[in-house]
Amino acid sequence: MDKNDIKQFAGVIIGGFLFALSVNLFIVPLDLYSGGIIGIAQIIRTLMIQYLGLDILNSFDIAGIINFLINIPLFIMAYRSISRKFFIKTLLCVIVQTVSFTLIMIPQTAILDDVLASCVIGGLIGGFGIGLALRSSGSGGGLDILGVYFTKKFDNFSVGKLSLIVNAFVYIVCAILFDVSTAIYSIIYMACFSLVVDKTHYQNINITCMIFSKNE
Protein backbone atom coordinates (compact mmCIF):
# COMPACT_ATOMS: atom_id res chain seq x y z
CA MET A 1 0.00 0.00 0.00
CA ASP A 2 1.56 3.30 -1.11
CA LYS A 3 1.13 6.79 0.34
CA ASN A 4 -1.70 7.62 -2.05
CA ASP A 5 -3.68 4.55 -0.93
CA ILE A 6 -3.17 5.48 2.73
CA LYS A 7 -4.30 9.03 1.98
CA GLN A 8 -7.42 7.76 0.21
CA PHE A 9 -8.38 5.35 3.00
CA ALA A 10 -7.89 8.15 5.53
CA GLY A 11 -10.16 10.37 3.40
CA VAL A 12 -12.86 7.70 3.32
CA ILE A 13 -12.73 7.22 7.11
CA ILE A 14 -12.76 10.95 7.89
CA GLY A 15 -15.51 11.53 5.33
CA GLY A 16 -17.79 8.87 6.80
CA PHE A 17 -17.25 10.23 10.31
CA LEU A 18 -17.96 13.85 9.31
CA PHE A 19 -21.19 12.85 7.57
CA ALA A 20 -22.49 10.97 10.62
CA LEU A 21 -21.35 13.80 12.90
CA SER A 22 -23.28 16.39 10.88
CA VAL A 23 -26.47 14.33 10.91
CA ASN A 24 -26.42 13.40 14.60
CA LEU A 25 -25.42 16.84 15.89
CA PHE A 26 -27.30 19.18 13.57
CA ILE A 27 -30.14 17.31 11.84
CA VAL A 28 -31.55 14.61 14.14
CA PRO A 29 -31.99 16.94 17.19
CA LEU A 30 -34.32 19.06 15.01
CA ASP A 31 -36.27 15.98 13.87
CA LEU A 32 -35.15 16.60 10.29
CA TYR A 33 -34.18 13.99 7.72
CA SER A 34 -31.31 13.41 5.36
CA GLY A 35 -31.93 12.30 1.80
CA GLY A 36 -31.21 9.04 0.01
CA ILE A 37 -30.88 5.69 1.75
CA ILE A 38 -29.97 7.19 5.13
CA GLY A 39 -33.13 9.31 4.93
CA ILE A 40 -35.19 6.16 4.36
CA ALA A 41 -33.38 4.54 7.32
CA GLN A 42 -34.22 7.54 9.52
CA ILE A 43 -37.91 7.35 8.58
CA ILE A 44 -37.97 3.63 9.39
CA ARG A 45 -36.31 4.39 12.76
CA THR A 46 -38.91 7.03 13.59
CA LEU A 47 -41.79 4.74 12.63
CA MET A 48 -40.35 1.95 14.80
CA ILE A 49 -40.26 4.31 17.78
CA GLN A 50 -43.63 5.98 17.25
CA TYR A 51 -45.77 3.09 16.04
CA LEU A 52 -44.10 0.00 17.47
CA GLY A 53 -43.41 1.55 20.86
CA LEU A 54 -39.72 0.69 20.77
CA ASP A 55 -38.66 3.46 23.14
CA ILE A 56 -35.36 1.69 23.79
CA LEU A 57 -34.26 3.02 20.39
CA ASN A 58 -34.26 6.51 21.86
CA SER A 59 -31.08 5.67 23.76
CA PHE A 60 -29.06 5.31 20.53
CA ASP A 61 -29.60 5.97 16.82
CA ILE A 62 -30.44 2.73 15.03
CA ALA A 63 -30.67 4.54 11.68
CA GLY A 64 -27.00 3.77 10.97
CA ILE A 65 -27.59 0.02 11.41
CA ILE A 66 -30.70 0.13 9.20
CA ASN A 67 -28.71 2.07 6.60
CA PHE A 68 -25.98 -0.58 6.64
CA LEU A 69 -28.50 -3.41 6.17
CA ILE A 70 -30.13 -1.65 3.22
CA ASN A 71 -26.68 -1.17 1.70
CA ILE A 72 -25.74 -4.86 1.79
CA PRO A 73 -27.18 -5.73 -1.67
CA LEU A 74 -25.59 -2.51 -2.98
CA PHE A 75 -22.20 -3.64 -1.64
CA ILE A 76 -22.60 -6.87 -3.64
CA MET A 77 -23.44 -4.81 -6.72
CA ALA A 78 -20.37 -2.62 -6.20
CA TYR A 79 -18.09 -5.65 -5.81
CA ARG A 80 -19.40 -7.49 -8.86
CA SER A 81 -20.07 -4.66 -11.28
CA ILE A 82 -17.93 -1.62 -10.46
CA SER A 83 -14.50 -2.30 -8.91
CA ARG A 84 -12.99 -4.00 -5.90
CA LYS A 85 -11.21 -0.87 -4.71
CA PHE A 86 -14.44 1.11 -4.90
CA PHE A 87 -16.23 -1.67 -3.02
CA ILE A 88 -13.64 -1.82 -0.22
CA LYS A 89 -13.52 1.94 0.29
CA THR A 90 -17.31 2.28 0.17
CA LEU A 91 -17.74 -0.59 2.63
CA LEU A 92 -15.21 1.04 4.97
CA CYS A 93 -16.99 4.41 4.70
CA VAL A 94 -20.40 2.92 5.51
CA ILE A 95 -18.95 0.94 8.43
CA VAL A 96 -17.48 4.15 9.83
CA GLN A 97 -20.85 5.84 9.32
CA THR A 98 -22.68 3.01 11.09
CA VAL A 99 -20.37 3.04 14.11
CA SER A 100 -20.43 6.84 14.28
CA PHE A 101 -24.22 7.07 13.97
CA THR A 102 -24.51 4.61 16.86
CA LEU A 103 -21.83 6.08 19.16
CA ILE A 104 -22.12 9.84 18.60
CA MET A 105 -24.55 11.04 21.23
CA ILE A 106 -27.50 13.02 19.88
CA PRO A 107 -28.03 16.26 21.85
CA GLN A 108 -31.33 16.48 23.71
CA THR A 109 -31.70 20.03 22.40
CA ALA A 110 -30.41 21.53 19.19
CA ILE A 111 -26.89 22.96 19.31
CA LEU A 112 -28.11 26.04 17.45
CA ASP A 113 -31.42 27.79 18.11
CA ASP A 114 -31.71 28.82 14.45
CA VAL A 115 -33.07 25.88 12.41
CA LEU A 116 -31.89 27.35 9.11
CA ALA A 117 -28.35 27.80 10.46
CA SER A 118 -28.32 24.17 11.62
CA CYS A 119 -29.41 23.03 8.16
CA VAL A 120 -26.68 25.05 6.46
CA ILE A 121 -23.86 24.05 8.85
CA GLY A 122 -24.98 20.41 8.86
CA GLY A 123 -25.07 20.46 5.05
CA LEU A 124 -21.60 21.99 4.84
CA ILE A 125 -20.01 19.44 7.18
CA GLY A 126 -21.86 16.41 5.82
CA GLY A 127 -21.37 17.44 2.20
CA PHE A 128 -17.65 17.93 2.72
CA GLY A 129 -17.45 14.48 4.34
CA ILE A 130 -19.13 12.62 1.47
CA GLY A 131 -17.29 14.75 -1.08
CA LEU A 132 -14.03 13.75 0.59
CA ALA A 133 -15.02 10.07 0.38
CA LEU A 134 -15.77 10.48 -3.33
CA ARG A 135 -12.46 12.30 -3.90
CA SER A 136 -10.80 9.29 -2.28
CA SER A 137 -12.32 6.98 -4.93
CA GLY A 138 -14.90 5.59 -2.53
CA SER A 139 -18.44 6.69 -1.71
CA GLY A 140 -20.93 7.08 1.10
CA GLY A 141 -22.89 4.07 -0.14
CA GLY A 142 -26.56 4.12 -1.08
CA LEU A 143 -27.37 6.31 -4.07
CA ASP A 144 -23.65 6.80 -4.79
CA ILE A 145 -23.33 3.09 -5.61
CA LEU A 146 -26.52 3.04 -7.70
CA GLY A 147 -25.44 6.18 -9.51
CA VAL A 148 -22.04 4.75 -10.50
CA TYR A 149 -23.62 1.40 -11.48
CA PHE A 150 -26.33 2.86 -13.73
CA THR A 151 -23.90 5.35 -15.27
CA LYS A 152 -21.84 2.39 -16.46
CA LYS A 153 -24.93 0.56 -17.74
CA PHE A 154 -26.79 3.38 -19.49
CA ASP A 155 -25.22 6.13 -21.60
CA ASN A 156 -27.99 8.66 -20.99
CA PHE A 157 -28.39 7.96 -17.30
CA SER A 158 -28.33 10.94 -14.95
CA VAL A 159 -27.24 10.52 -11.34
CA GLY A 160 -29.03 13.76 -10.59
CA LYS A 161 -32.36 12.34 -11.78
CA LEU A 162 -31.96 9.27 -9.58
CA SER A 163 -31.17 11.46 -6.57
CA LEU A 164 -34.10 13.75 -7.37
CA ILE A 165 -36.57 10.85 -7.60
CA VAL A 166 -35.45 9.14 -4.39
CA ASN A 167 -35.20 12.36 -2.39
CA ALA A 168 -38.60 13.51 -3.67
CA PHE A 169 -40.03 10.24 -2.33
CA VAL A 170 -38.28 10.69 1.04
CA TYR A 171 -39.52 14.24 1.54
CA ILE A 172 -43.06 13.57 0.34
CA VAL A 173 -43.20 10.81 2.96
CA CYS A 174 -41.82 13.27 5.55
CA ALA A 175 -44.49 15.82 4.64
CA ILE A 176 -47.26 13.22 4.92
CA LEU A 177 -46.10 11.44 8.09
CA PHE A 178 -44.77 14.44 9.96
CA ASP A 179 -45.32 18.01 8.72
CA VAL A 180 -44.50 20.24 5.79
CA SER A 181 -41.95 22.34 7.71
CA THR A 182 -39.96 19.18 8.48
CA ALA A 183 -39.81 18.39 4.76
CA ILE A 184 -38.91 21.96 3.78
CA TYR A 185 -36.02 22.31 6.24
CA SER A 186 -34.80 18.83 5.33
CA ILE A 187 -34.76 19.87 1.67
CA ILE A 188 -32.73 22.98 2.57
CA TYR A 189 -30.23 20.76 4.38
CA MET A 190 -29.93 18.43 1.37
CA ALA A 191 -29.54 21.37 -1.02
CA CYS A 192 -26.55 22.66 0.99
CA PHE A 193 -25.24 19.11 1.34
CA SER A 194 -25.42 18.40 -2.41
CA LEU A 195 -23.81 21.72 -3.33
CA VAL A 196 -20.80 21.07 -1.07
CA VAL A 197 -20.47 17.47 -2.29
CA ASP A 198 -20.27 18.73 -5.87
CA LYS A 199 -17.77 21.47 -5.01
CA THR A 200 -15.57 19.12 -2.98
CA HIS A 201 -15.66 16.32 -5.52
CA TYR A 202 -15.66 18.38 -8.75
CA GLN A 203 -11.92 18.56 -9.39
CA ASN A 204 -11.59 14.80 -8.92
CA ILE A 205 -14.44 13.73 -11.23
CA ASN A 206 -12.26 12.77 -14.22
CA ILE A 207 -9.90 10.67 -12.08
CA THR A 208 -12.82 8.96 -10.35
CA CYS A 209 -14.51 8.09 -13.64
CA MET A 210 -11.28 6.49 -14.87
CA ILE A 211 -11.01 4.38 -11.73
CA PHE A 212 -14.64 3.25 -11.90
CA SER A 213 -14.23 2.23 -15.54
CA LYS A 214 -11.76 -0.49 -14.56
CA ASN A 215 -12.79 -3.70 -12.85
CA GLU A 216 -10.02 -3.77 -10.24
Side-chain angles (χ1 to χ4, degrees):
M1 183 181 294
D2 58 25
K3 290 183 179 180
N4 186 56
D5 287 332
I6 294 174
K7 182 179 179 180
Q8 289 187 342
F9 278 107
V12 165
I13 293 171
I14 294 171
F17 173 76
L18 288 177
F19 174 62
L21 184 76
S22 72
V23 172
N24 273 19
L25 295 187
F26 293 97
I27 302 306
V28 177
L30 296 171
D31 294 324
L32 301 181
Y33 294 82
S34 183
I37 302 299
I38 187 61
I40 294 173
Q42 289 175 313
I43 291 175
I44 293 173
R45 173 209 60 206
T46 301
L47 294 177
M48 291 173 68
I49 294 173
Q50 291 185 354
Y51 296 100
L52 297 181
L54 300 178
D55 293 334
I56 189 175
L57 299 182
N58 285 316
S59 59
F60 69 98
D61 193 354
I62 198 176
I65 297 174
I66 297 173
N67 177 59
F68 184 85
L69 294 176
I70 296 175
N71 268 282
I72 289 177
L74 301 179
F75 292 146
I76 297 173
M77 178 189 297
Y79 181 80
R80 292 181 175 178
S81 306
I82 302 176
S83 80
R84 293 180 182 178
K85 285 187 176 180
F86 175 72
F87 159 75
I88 293 171
K89 291 173 183 175
T90 297
L91 177 62
L92 177 60
C93 185
V94 177
I95 289 175
V96 171
Q97 288 179 40
T98 302
V99 173
S100 299
F101 276 127
T102 304
L103 297 182
I104 295 174
M105 299 301 295
I106 299 171
Q108 294 297 318
T109 58
I111 294 177
L112 300 176
D113 294 331
D114 190 317
V115 178
L116 184 58
S118 292
C119 292
V120 172
I121 294 175
L124 292 175
I125 297 173
F128 177 75
I130 295 302
L132 185 61
L134 289 167
R135 280 181 58 118
S136 302
S137 302
S139 81
L143 296 185
D144 294 339
I145 298 176
L146 287 175
V148 172
Y149 175 78
F150 285 122
T151 297
K152 290 186 64 176
K153 290 292 183 180
F154 306 105
D155 293 335
N156 297 323
F157 178 79
S158 169
V159 178
K161 289 181 180 179
L162 173 65
S163 178
L164 180 63
I165 292 171
V166 174
N167 288 335
F169 167 77
V170 170
Y171 294 129
I172 288 173
V173 171
C174 284
I176 294 173
L177 294 180
F178 312 117
D179 57 63
V180 175
S181 63
T182 295
I184 291 174
Y185 280 117
S186 296
I187 290 172
I188 292 173
Y189 160 74
M190 277 307 299
C192 296
F193 173 88
S194 299
L195 178 63
V196 177
V197 168
D198 287 343
K199 293 295 183 181
T200 305
H201 180 227
Y202 178 76
Q203 61 183 339
N204 198 52
I205 287 176
N206 291 332
I207 296 174
T208 304
C209 289
M210 290 175 62
I211 293 174
F212 289 158
S213 67
K214 299 178 181 179
N215 187 23
E216 297 183 31

